[in-house]
Amino acid sequence: MKPVSRFEELESGAPRVPVRFGGQEYQLAEGSNLAAALMAAGVDAFRQTSHRGVGRAPFCMMGACFDCLVLVNGETRQACLMEVETGLDVQPARRMREGPYASR
Amino acid sequence: MSSDFAIVGGGIVGLSVAWGLLKRGLGVTVLDGADDALRASRGNFGLVWVQGKGLKQPVYARWSQTAAAAWSDFAEELEDATGFDLSLEQHGGLDLHFSENSLADWAARYTKIQSILHGDYPFEVLSAKELRKEEPGIGDAVVGALLHHQDGQVNPLRLLRALAEEVRRLGGEILSGKQVLSVTHGAVFDLGCSDGSRIEADRVVLAAGLGAAELGPKFGFKAPLSPERGQVLITEKLAPLIRRPSLIARQVNEGAVQIGATNELVGQNDAVTRKGMAQLAAEAVAAYPDLARAQLVRSWGALRVMSPDGLPIYQESEQMPGAFLVTCHSGVTLAAAHARRLPEWLLKGEGAPDLEVFGEARFAI
Amino acid sequence: MHRVNLAIIGAGPAGMAAAAEAAKAGVRVLLLDEQATLGGQIFRNVEVGSELRGAVLGRDYRRGALLTDAVAKSDVDYVAKARVWSIEENHVAYSTPDGEYLVEADHVLLATGALERAMPVPGWTLPGVMTAGAAQIMLKQSGIVAREAVLVGSGPLLYLVAVQLVRAGFPPKALVETQTRSDMRRAMTHWRAAMRGWRYLQKGAATLNELRNAGVPRYVKSRNIALLGSRRVDAVHFSCGGAIHEMATDTVLLHHGVVPDVQAARMAGIEHHWNAQQNAFVPKVDPWGRTECDGVWIAGDGAGIGGAMSAELSGRITGLAVAHELGSLPRAERDRRANPLIGQRNVELSIRPFIDRAFPPYHEALAPEDEVTVCRCEEVKAGQIREAAEQGCLGPNQAKAFTRAGMGRCQGRYCGLSVSRILADANNRSMDDTGYVRVRPPLKPVTLGQVAALHDPNAPLEQAGGHD
């Protein structure tokens, strides 16, 4: 089910390509800003915080706040500094389980 | 008002001693420096470490072992009192080697100190294969490791915070932003501070790290201390990758991997350099290849407090009896010994540890 | 490693103007920017944006194309998507999608611009809350607008974004404004100076008119602002004129001014001092943009907030100064070209005292309640900073060790001023005495692999032998 977006896209010229976020597929405008496109597609939380595990979403859109962190190919990236490409498989940055030696 | 002890230095060394004295019912005033003072307590690697220490001076090896053995009890007491999790883990530590020669060389040194210490030096030489069984994330460049079972790690910032809280809770006074400039010794010690204030105490412990180099001679100490820079890198929080800490990297319980440290003689310069970062990163990636994709989030440079032979200095001033110099480069490891054993030495009580070899007599003038 | 005469960090108005001006004088310029296109935040995507976006964003925005054109037509070596992570003794290390680079530059110009002042109010970390600037960037870069945002705070950008939303066909639900009449009275004492910047006053009046005509409600002198919601924001709570409001919304845009982005300057070791009028730390620079660090310059909002026009002028002035230092421009020629620019910059800056007083930071966000998060990265609350102060922390570096505030990925960009302010208030000390969190590399996170790529095994560090 596609969530209702709180954003409106003024222009809809660019071709749509499939992008996965957290296992769900979205059709996003190719070449557009990944963070903006995901928010416009209805994504709320991009990452979980590391201590309290609460959701965060893009805050500054200019690469400074690090609240739009996602995982792409196992590497942590800022979604607001990425472009939509076909077939991107994006995971929200999740809280790491804290653990002592025994659990490693 | 005059207290029993003034401790010059509010880092881990000074606070550990303060805590120990307070536990024995003495009145303590801690004089701590400025926000931007050189602080090894904020910049260390967080190891509780025995291996490799005191290879030429077995008393130091023993003293480190005394500290390591006292740590779990010490941590528990601090944790119970403050509610902090110090994340102490003492399941052994690794010294990774990239060449068979260096591994064999160091194994031989450990065997020698082991026999001097009558066998109480529990270490193993791990082959590459054995090491990989213990540490699946290790890279092919590593040919083996020394595993020492008395080694471990702790969260040094929580230790600092817990000590600061406990010293206050036990009735100690911590005064911030106090740089001690002068001392006079009459009926009591009278310390003059940069803000114009004066602090009186019956006895003084100089635990001011590198600050003791300048201040020490005013108390009659040689205090031949010099800085050695260590640069450290910190990654983002990662899924479990490293089990036991090594001198190259350790994974803290929150998931971040801490990489270090350099040993540079560059004077009073605690900068982080691109060259240092690149070398640390290259070593860490060689040791744990998965780290190549980990994000480096922050770094720091801090200055170790080094005596000429690298050993701690414990010395009472001959010129001003009642003034003691306490300094070392392993304030975290030795914290438990400083808290538990040093007060007896300061108070010349029964069962005081014999710290003669750590006196300043060993330094030629 | 390659060599250039001038490496510029940041391709906003200051960086672009400096690049074009210096290149024109024959200087070899490398212009590095993290974004995919020229323009910085203020002129984001100005080269490639659609006509529709241009119409919504207005003439001041479209002007930016003059600068991007000037760079495009010059000999400037512009590198997009360049992540600068270290600046050390005239060497700049940066990472791009194509690989890792180290450049040696005779001069380095920091043109990293401004950040929106953090506005720690209850709930400001919830999804659905972003800065007004962020919403504007979404419009500039992606043509995406919030359907019914509530704008909260104060300042010219708040009105500008509101008007742009109106023009885009999605007027904001309301403006919840924090400035007061007495702020305006204080500002009016600077009216004479402000009149020199009459263009801005005129524009401001037109903007307010446009909002009025669109029927956007304004709640002036609002207090007790809290953003409500559990998994995302769903309402703004505030009191205004004796009434308590709870306004449903899914998007809150915060803004109460901008502050210099000092990260690079701090990392380079440049001295900063507290500027009470701007309520921010400002690096020490001379009128040419020269700092006390040899070969390091700062131009634009990073040297103190002046706005886009002033940034552009500063960039040109510094570009000329660097060209002169390099021997590419005689002193007389430098002065002949720079003097009118300096005069224009003074006119541009004349409005600032008025703006700073008319739209001061929201005081409740300068002294947040104990329960409010101030460090977004490490989730540290204001109360924890106050506790650290009680524990004897006089400044943000000891407080960082005690609380982890400022230790996260943003390295204090969004909590640095809040933490210093809370400590200064708690300890009853000045901002200068309290100081700022020490900034270390990396300026932006890079992978260990990227850093390791710069290691030269043939030139290892000189290291002391092992310890005993």
Side-chain angles (χ1 to χ4, degrees):
Chain A
M1 190 191 75
K2 198 186 163 197
V4 183
S5 171
R6 54 199 178 90
F7 293 99
E8 183 72 23
E9 296 178 59
L10 298 180
E11 301 141 21
S12 44
R16 303 271 151 170
V17 295
V19 168
R20 292 180 77 77
F21 179 81
Q24 194 177 335
E25 193 173 295
Y26 296 86
Q27 296 292 323
L28 306 180
E30 190 169 23
S32 64
N33 181 276
L34 179 64
L38 282 172
M39 278 196 285
V43 170
D44 268 337
F46 277 53
R47 72 171 184 113
Q48 274 188 330
T49 59
S50 49
H51 301 301
R52 288 181 217 151
V54 298
R56 287 280 177 83
F59 178 72
C60 76
M61 288 301 287
M62 51 182 265
C65 78
F66 298 88
D67 265 332
C68 65
L69 289 183
V70 292
L71 285 172
V72 180
N73 296 326
E75 219 171 89
T76 310
R77 304 280 299 272
Q78 289 166 275
C80 79
L81 292 173
M82 290 183 72
E83 286 154 23
V84 170
E85 290 168 43
T86 184
L88 266 186
D89 191 356
V90 184
Q91 292 291 335
R94 296 226 182 268
R95 173 192 201 179
M96 290 302 160
R97 223 187 15 255
E98 292 191 17
Y101 171 86
S103 67
R104 274 175 216 151
Chain B
M1 203 195 72
S2 167
S3 52
D4 298 323
F5 275 90
I7 314 275
V8 184
I12 287 174
V13 173
L15 291 172
S16 301
V17 175
W19 184 85
L21 290 167
L22 286 159
K23 283 276 174 185
R24 280 160 184 77
L26 289 127
V28 173
T29 300
V30 178
L31 307 178
D32 193 24
D35 185 60
D36 59 355
L38 295 169
R39 289 174 183 269
S41 292
R42 292 202 297 237
N44 64 79
F45 205 65
L47 296 177
V48 174
W49 211 249
V50 170
Q51 69 170 305
K53 287 177 178 164
L55 297 181
K56 290 180 201 141
Q57 176 45 273
V59 181
Y60 181 41
R62 272 274 179 250
W63 184 235
S64 299
Q65 287 177 318
T66 301
W71 244 106
S72 93
D73 209 45
F74 171 59
E76 209 178 295
E77 194 172 341
L78 276 177
E79 287 177 337
D80 285 350
T82 60
F84 286 140
D85 174 8
L86 299 188
S87 307
L88 174 70
E89 295 181 359
Q90 292 180 287
H91 304 286
L94 296 166
D95 183 17
L96 305 179
H97 286 264
F98 293 92
S99 93
E100 297 285 359
N101 281 346
S102 80
L103 180 62
D105 176 30
W106 281 90
R109 296 189 209 191
Y110 285 14
T111 305
K112 192 173 152 208
I113 187 84
Q114 187 178 45
S115 82
I116 295 170
L117 298 173
H118 312 293
D120 177 18
Y121 202 77
F123 79 96
E124 295 173 53
V125 183
L126 300 183
S127 69
K129 201 174 148 202
E130 289 164 325
L131 176 61
R132 246 154 239 123
K133 234 162 88 186
E134 296 284 322
E135 296 282 340
I138 288 280
D140 294 335
V142 181
V143 301
L146 294 160
L147 166 60
H148 197 296
H149 291 286
Q150 290 171 328
D151 290 338
Q153 57 185 331
V154 71
N155 182 326
L157 296 182
R158 290 214 198 120
L159 169 64
L160 177 66
R161 177 96 199 247
L163 282 169
E165 281 205 25
E166 262 300 88
V167 162
R168 278 203 162 82
R169 197 185 61 84
L170 295 170
E173 194 176 16
I174 303 179
L175 304 175
S176 301
K178 294 275 179 197
Q179 196 197 344
V180 176
L181 297 179
S182 66
V183 57
T184 55
H185 185 213
V188 294
F189 284 91
D190 182 352
L191 306 176
C193 300
S194 53
D195 60 0
S197 61
R198 309 202 73 86
I199 306 293
E200 290 186 351
D202 293 342
R203 279 162 281 186
V204 177
V205 176
L206 187 53
L210 289 169
E214 204 184 318
L215 200 49
K218 297 177 185 172
F219 287 86
F221 298 114
K222 294 174 188 156
L225 300 165
S226 59
E228 183 190 290
R229 182 168 71 191
Q231 300 188 44
V232 174
L233 311 180
I234 302 282
T235 70
E236 62 185 325
K237 296 175 177 80
L238 300 169
L241 172 70
I242 301 174
R243 301 180 76 207
R244 289 192 175 94
S246 75
L247 295 167
I248 290 179
R250 72 183 189 100
Q251 187 164 25
V252 308
N253 70 318
E254 291 135 333
V257 171
Q258 185 171 318
I259 294 157
T262 62
N263 301 90
E264 303 162 86
L265 301 176
V266 289
Q268 301 256 352
N269 172 358
D270 68 349
V272 169
T273 65
R274 183 191 65 253
K275 202 170 166 183
M277 293 172 81
Q279 179 157 328
L280 289 173
E283 273 170 14
V285 169
Y288 307 92
D290 283 352
L291 285 178
R293 290 199 301 179
Q295 269 192 337
L296 167 66
V297 173
R298 61 193 177 95
S299 71
W300 69 73
L303 301 178
R304 295 182 188 85
V305 184
M306 300 303 292
S307 66
D309 57 8
L311 269 53
I313 303 174
Y314 304 113
Q315 175 72 52
E316 180 171 9
S317 171
E318 285 169 18
Q319 196 181 313
M320 291 187 190
F324 301 86
L325 175 62
V326 173
T327 185
C328 65
H329 76 79
S330 291
V332 175
T333 298
L334 295 178
H338 290 161
R340 297 287 197 209
R341 304 295 309 280
L342 217 55
E344 288 150 17
W345 175 76
L346 293 168
L347 298 167
K348 298 168 185 149
E350 259 178 62
D354 180 2
L355 301 175
E356 187 76 37
V357 298
F358 300 117
E360 288 197 323
R362 71 187 197 264
F363 307 123
I365 296 168
Chain C
M1 187 162 67
H2 52 301
R3 283 203 56 164
V4 296
N5 297 134
L6 172 63
I8 301 176
I9 324 284
M16 291 190 294
E21 197 69 46
K24 205 161 67 183
V27 173
R28 248 191 91 199
V29 180
L30 174 67
L31 178 60
L32 301 170
D33 192 275
E34 189 177 29
Q35 295 293 336
T37 57
L38 286 167
Q41 309 311 331
I42 190 91
F43 300 131
R44 183 84 84 93
N45 285 52
V46 71
E47 298 168 290
V48 294
S50 67
E51 256 179 62
L52 171 66
R53 273 182 235 173
V56 168
L57 291 162
R59 258 174 51 198
D60 283 348
Y61 169 72
R62 292 194 306 268
R63 268 199 73 254
L66 296 175
L67 279 170
T68 57
D69 277 355
V71 172
K73 286 181 186 140
S74 71
D75 291 332
V76 171
D77 182 10
Y78 160 60
V79 181
K81 298 183 182 179
R83 213 168 168 82
V84 172
W85 59 269
S86 156
I87 303 164
E88 185 184 324
E89 287 173 1
N90 293 39
H91 286 70
V92 178
Y94 61 98
S95 177
T96 76
D98 303 329
E100 315 313 315
Y101 297 91
L102 181 64
V103 62
E104 186 182 352
D106 299 320
H107 296 268
V108 177
L109 169 59
L110 310 178
T112 53
L115 291 168
E116 284 175 277
R117 181 191 299 281
M119 193 168 166
V121 293
W124 74 305
T125 54
L126 287 167
V129 181
M130 55 168 72
T131 67
Q136 201 191 35
I137 287 167
M138 286 177 75
L139 175 58
K140 290 172 183 168
Q141 186 173 27
S142 313
I144 291 174
V145 291
R147 288 179 203 270
E148 43 174 22
V150 175
L151 286 92
V152 177
S154 71
L157 183 66
L158 199 77
Y159 299 133
L160 180 59
V161 171
V163 153
Q164 289 168 344
L165 291 173
V166 168
R167 290 181 199 150
F170 296 89
K173 203 166 173 181
L175 266 68
V176 177
E177 301 178 32
T178 54
Q179 80 283 355
T180 66
R181 275 207 196 82
S182 55
D183 293 331
M184 188 52 79
R185 267 200 304 277
R186 268 192 287 276
M188 285 317 285
T189 60
H190 296 273
W191 69 271
R192 210 180 279 276
M195 285 312 287
R196 293 182 68 199
W198 58 272
R199 251 179 2 99
Y200 289 99
L201 294 177
Q202 200 180 36
K203 247 184 251 170
T207 302
L208 290 179
N209 232 348
E210 211 173 331
L211 285 179
R212 195 176 309 121
N213 292 340
V216 179
R218 292 177 57 199
Y219 297 85
V220 178
K221 203 182 164 185
S222 293
R223 288 288 167 270
N224 305 313
I225 295 164
L227 313 179
L228 312 177
S230 53
R231 296 171 70 88
R232 49 183 286 180
V233 72
D234 44 45
V236 182
H237 166 104
F238 61 98
S239 56
C240 180
I244 292 172
H245 300 263
E246 202 169 303
M247 189 179 289
T249 182
D250 55 17
T251 304
V252 173
L253 307 179
L254 298 175
H255 179 82
H256 66 154
V258 294
V259 294
D261 178 355
V262 296
Q263 296 298 117
R266 290 268 183 192
M267 190 177 79
I270 291 158
E271 197 186 321
H272 287 62
H273 59 88
W274 181 250
N275 182 316
Q277 184 198 304
Q278 298 198 354
N279 235 292
F281 282 109
V282 171
K284 215 170 146 184
V285 296
D286 76 3
W288 298 98
R290 187 188 282 107
T291 73
E292 285 178 343
C293 288
D294 203 25
V296 181
W297 306 68
I298 308 178
D301 277 352
I305 301 302
M309 276 304 295
S310 161
E312 179 185 334
L313 292 162
S314 294
R316 292 179 65 188
I317 292 163
T318 304
L320 293 169
V322 170
H324 167 64
E325 297 266 325
L326 287 162
S328 305
L329 201 63
R331 176 183 292 268
E333 185 57 21
R334 176 198 72 176
D335 293 348
R336 195 186 63 80
R337 294 191 202 174
N339 283 337
L341 303 175
I342 292 170
Q344 281 179 56
R345 183 171 63 180
N346 288 340
V347 173
E348 287 297 324
L349 291 175
S350 57
I351 189 74
R352 293 310 308 183
F354 176 84
I355 291 177
D356 289 331
R357 281 173 180 79
F359 306 105
Y362 174 48
H363 69 92
E364 285 173 37
L366 293 183
E369 300 273 333
D370 283 351
E371 275 309 299
V372 177
T373 297
V374 292
C375 169
R376 299 174 64 94
C377 298
E378 295 293 326
E379 302 175 87
V380 184
K381 297 177 174 186
Q384 291 170 269
I385 307 298
R386 294 192 180 102
E387 260 175 50
E390 273 171 40
Q391 294 285 326
C393 294
L394 295 176
N397 292 297
Q398 191 77 341
K400 178 177 170 183
F402 273 40
T403 67
R404 301 185 64 85
M407 254 187 212
R409 274 191 174 81
C410 98
Q411 290 290 288
R413 282 175 175 80
Y414 283 100
C415 72
L417 285 175
S418 303
V419 170
S420 289
R421 161 67 65 198
I422 292 169
L423 289 170
D425 288 349
N427 291 318
N428 199 18
R429 298 173 91 219
S430 71
M431 285 298 272
D432 278 322
D433 285 346
T434 301
Y436 197 73
V437 71
R438 178 147 178 201
V439 179
R440 306 273 208 173
L443 194 55
K444 287 281 174 84
V446 277
T447 66
L448 283 176
Q450 287 165 335
V451 176
L454 292 191
H455 175 56
D456 177 2
N458 298 318
L461 284 184
E462 268 181 49
Q463 300 221 57
H467 297 149
D468 212 344

